[in-house]
Amino acid sequence: MWRDEAVTYDVAHRGLSDLWHTLGNADAVHGLYYLLMYGLYGICELFGRADPLLVMRIPSVLAMSVATAGVAMLGRHLAGPRAGLLAGVVFAVIPSIQRFAQEGRSYAMVCALVVWATYVLVRAASADGLRARRLWRWYGALMLVTCLLHEFAVFALPAHALTVPWTARRSWARAAAVVVTGLAPLAVLSQRQKDQVGWLHVDLSQYAGATGLCVAGVVCAALLGRLGGRAADAGRPIGLRRPALALLVTPTLALLLIAPVKPLYADRYVLYGVAGLALLIGALLDQMSRGGRRRTAVTVVTAAAALIALAPYSVHLRTPDSRLDNTAAVTQAVQDAGSEGDAVLYMPSRRRVWSLPHPQAVAGLDDLALDGRPAASHTLYGTEVGADVIRARMLTRTRIVFVTDPSRDPVDQIPRETVKRDVLKDHFEQCHTRTDRGWRVTLYARPGHCPASP
């Protein structure tokens, strides 16, 4: 369980009233997901003890399975049965899909709903009469639920606008207006909580990866056209290349264009765009396999080589090292560093999240900066006392366990965090440190009070 999943675990285990009040202060963008997980944990508790991490991740596994089926159905409708089957297989083995299929957050659900909303969209655009009206209502309902699960799903709407033919634009606009109207209260509330994404910055590596995916999609679309994809689209109300490219490029491009004003891009926010790339690759493989045994053999060898190349990363995704951090490992390190009656400090305060799934493990340590616990204060990480109080409390202690980010990470320049560093530097000495992926635990003590060994 890593830090984001720890938030899911903690918030979903709060009382319904505490959960509701928490969403008024923080993380409203994930509110519907937390409510769903609250209900799921409640149901599981009725049938006895269950592994909390398994309970948290099973919905994502199921959701991504549903998304895979949706990609296959969408490809089948747009380009034929074999293209749809291949697109579904491609989608299932893409590393980012495998990653978020086993993560206790909302992104797999959002991906599944966007894929099926796109399927309903293309069916509605080619239907007429009562059936078309029903399909448009389904499309609007699916997109509204999706956006309430995570508001950045709204960037799928312009992709859908580029997908539908002119004859269906008015119907799409009515459905989109309902979605935007329904999303507006959540958008206003989440705007008040925008400091939660203050950690996002212009990450050139992520931006390069996003650009690379978009370029790969454009190349696949061009190759598909040369190999006969244009002819395959003939006679279909909506061909495959336009909706696939729109779904892949439009949401990502929108977030990248916003970046100079406010960095908001993270690959998981527009994970559903990967479905567009899978559709293009699936249709391309379908076209490549046509035209004789030689083409088929080349296609099979290419696909097999890709699977072999992806295998090591797929294995890596199923190890703890694939996560940014490991809450169990952090908590164990804190336990090993401190003794009953010692103090603990988290820097920044949001790193208190590491201890939330394992409260008993740190119960013997005095959290010096804590003012209100997360659930009681209706916050994600709890509230802390002022800098002067933190300083006074630290100076009364002999040993302090310091839990923080790796030394290479930037530090928060606010009084509460600054005083923690300054007092440790001026009045304590470093005894020993344990570091691992994404975290660092150090025992500090007054001069002469370090233990003989870690």
Side-chain angles (χ1 to χ4, degrees):
M1 189 186 301
W2 75 293
R3 64 183 66 161
D4 280 13
E5 290 180 313
V7 174
T8 297
Y9 175 84
D10 183 67
V11 175
H13 278 83
R14 298 182 184 184
L16 198 56
S17 176
D18 287 336
L19 171 55
W20 184 256
H21 285 95
T22 298
L23 296 179
N25 295 324
D27 237 9
V29 67
H30 294 295
L32 179 57
Y33 174 70
Y34 291 145
L35 289 168
L36 292 173
M37 293 307 300
Y38 169 85
L40 181 60
Y41 274 117
I43 292 171
C44 290
E45 288 171 2
L46 294 176
F47 296 94
R49 183 174 177 80
D51 182 341
L53 191 55
L54 177 66
V55 173
M56 186 191 305
R57 288 180 176 169
I58 281 293
S60 295
V61 177
L62 297 176
M64 209 59 91
S65 301
V66 170
T68 303
V71 170
M73 290 294 291
L74 189 55
R76 181 180 187 276
H77 181 76
L78 295 173
R82 185 163 59 174
L85 178 61
L86 290 168
V89 172
V90 168
F91 181 80
V93 301
I94 290 175
S96 59
I97 297 303
Q98 293 203 16
R99 174 192 167 187
F100 289 102
Q102 51 168 316
E103 184 159 309
R105 298 296 278 173
S106 65
Y107 307 111
M109 294 183 184
V110 172
C111 184
L113 287 169
V114 169
V115 166
W116 278 98
T118 307
Y119 176 73
V120 173
L121 172 82
V122 298
R123 296 298 298 264
S126 58
D128 51 27
L130 180 61
R131 183 167 178 269
R133 289 194 292 273
R134 288 176 178 171
L135 287 171
W136 282 116
R137 284 195 289 269
W138 271 108
Y139 168 74
L142 282 171
M143 281 304 302
L144 179 56
V145 172
T146 310
C147 291
L148 292 177
L149 270 174
H150 197 287
E151 63 185 359
F152 281 5
V154 75
F155 291 111
L157 287 178
H160 291 161
L162 296 173
T163 295
V164 295
W166 282 105
T167 54
R169 288 286 170 86
R170 182 175 296 179
S171 298
W172 171 85
R174 284 197 294 266
V178 171
V179 173
V180 172
T181 302
L183 178 63
L186 176 61
V188 171
L189 179 58
S190 64
Q191 178 64 20
R192 297 174 186 168
Q193 302 170 1
K194 62 183 179 181
D195 287 346
Q196 278 190 250
V197 290
W199 60 270
L200 283 169
H201 58 280
V202 176
D203 186 334
L204 294 181
S205 62
Q206 276 219 35
Y207 287 14
T211 304
L213 283 178
C214 293
V215 170
V218 172
V219 170
C220 286
L223 290 174
L224 185 58
R226 289 182 63 86
L227 289 175
R230 189 180 293 109
D233 287 346
R236 299 179 187 272
I238 299 176
L240 180 137
R241 290 187 301 167
R242 184 172 64 181
L245 265 180
L247 192 59
L248 172 63
V249 175
T250 308
T252 298
L253 184 61
L255 286 182
L256 293 182
L257 290 176
I258 293 171
V261 179
K262 172 62 180 174
L264 290 174
Y265 180 80
D267 57 356
R268 56 188 179 271
Y269 293 165
V270 288
L271 178 67
Y272 50 85
V274 176
L277 181 61
L279 288 167
L280 289 166
I281 296 176
L284 182 59
L285 290 173
D286 178 34
Q287 289 298 319
M288 287 173 62
S289 64
R290 298 177 186 271
R293 295 181 179 178
R294 185 175 179 180
R295 269 196 179 187
T296 301
V298 170
T299 304
V300 171
V301 170
T302 302
L307 289 173
I308 292 171
L310 288 172
Y313 188 65
S314 296
V315 173
H316 171 71
L317 283 172
R318 286 155 178 80
T319 66
D321 287 343
S322 67
R323 301 304 196 270
L324 179 63
D325 48 34
N326 181 341
T327 62
V330 180
T331 308
Q332 185 61 54
V334 173
Q335 274 189 295
D336 294 342
S339 302
E340 186 80 20
D342 285 344
V344 63
L345 278 175
Y346 298 90
M347 191 190 79
S349 61
R350 56 184 176 273
R351 295 297 171 255
R352 189 174 284 104
V353 69
W354 285 325
S355 301
L356 297 183
H358 319 281
Q360 297 306 315
V362 294
L365 300 177
D366 185 11
D367 191 341
L368 291 183
L370 184 65
D371 185 21
R373 296 189 179 278
S377 62
H378 302 137
T379 60
L380 296 184
Y381 315 115
T383 56
E384 293 196 343
V385 295
D388 291 341
V389 178
I390 293 175
R391 177 183 175 84
R393 289 180 179 179
M394 291 178 68
L395 292 175
T396 65
R397 310 310 293 248
T398 302
R399 303 201 315 174
I400 298 175
V401 180
F402 193 50
V403 187
T404 186
D405 293 325
S407 56
R408 66 181 181 273
D409 288 8
V411 295
D412 289 2
Q413 299 295 338
I414 59 175
R416 279 195 300 268
E417 306 300 349
T418 301
V419 77
K420 295 174 188 177
R421 295 191 296 269
D422 290 346
V423 173
L424 288 174
K425 178 182 176 182
D426 296 339
H427 300 276
F428 291 79
E429 62 182 13
Q430 182 175 318
C431 300
H432 57 78
T433 299
R434 275 189 61 184
T435 61
D436 205 336
R437 183 178 175 85
W439 57 269
R440 177 164 49 111
V441 174
T442 304
L443 176 63
Y444 283 87
R446 293 297 186 119
H449 287 81
C450 281
S453 62

